[in-house]
Amino acid sequence: MLFKVEMDITIPPGFDPDGLDRLKAAEKARFQELQRAGTWRHIWRVVGRYANVSIFDVESNAHLHDILTTLPLYPLMTITVTALCRHPSTIHDDDR
């Protein structure tokens, strides 16, 4: 199942800069692990915000939820999820 996931990150005032750097490094490592597995298929930055729009390919809603809660920056995120389905006019075979 494909999902569009919008993630907005809000850093609380006074958040420890070193702790934030560690969280960002851990987030990048987790993202790359999920990308290599084919689960986190695409990611784009949102211009002017600490946010991204991503495409996930997972087996269920619950699976996506479980993945999102493992992200190191999850406690700082506001997340919007939209379920997607294959468009009948696509020419790409991997758009499930």
Side-chain angles (χ1 to χ4, degrees), residues 6-39:
E6 299 174 54
M7 300 176 213
D8 283 280
I9 294 91
T10 303
I11 309 302
F15 199 90
D16 174 46
D18 292 332
L20 182 58
D21 287 344
R22 286 189 296 276
L23 278 176
K24 287 179 180 180
E27 183 82 12
K28 182 178 180 178
R30 180 69 175 129
F31 157 69
Q32 289 178 344
E33 174 188 343
L34 291 166
Q35 190 176 34
R36 284 185 192 95
T39 303

Side-chain angles (χ1 to χ4, degrees), residues 26-67:
E27 183 82 12
K28 182 178 180 178
R30 180 69 175 129
F31 157 69
Q32 289 178 344
E33 174 188 343
L34 291 166
Q35 190 176 34
R36 284 185 192 95
T39 303
W40 198 327
R41 289 185 51 180
H42 303 281
I43 186 170
W44 296 272
R45 282 182 166 169
V46 177
V47 176
R49 296 186 0 228
Y50 190 7
N52 73 71
V53 175
S54 296
I55 303 295
F56 284 78
D57 188 356
V58 295
E59 60 194 48
S60 67
N61 297 344
H63 185 212
L64 177 62
H65 178 79
D66 291 344
I67 289 169

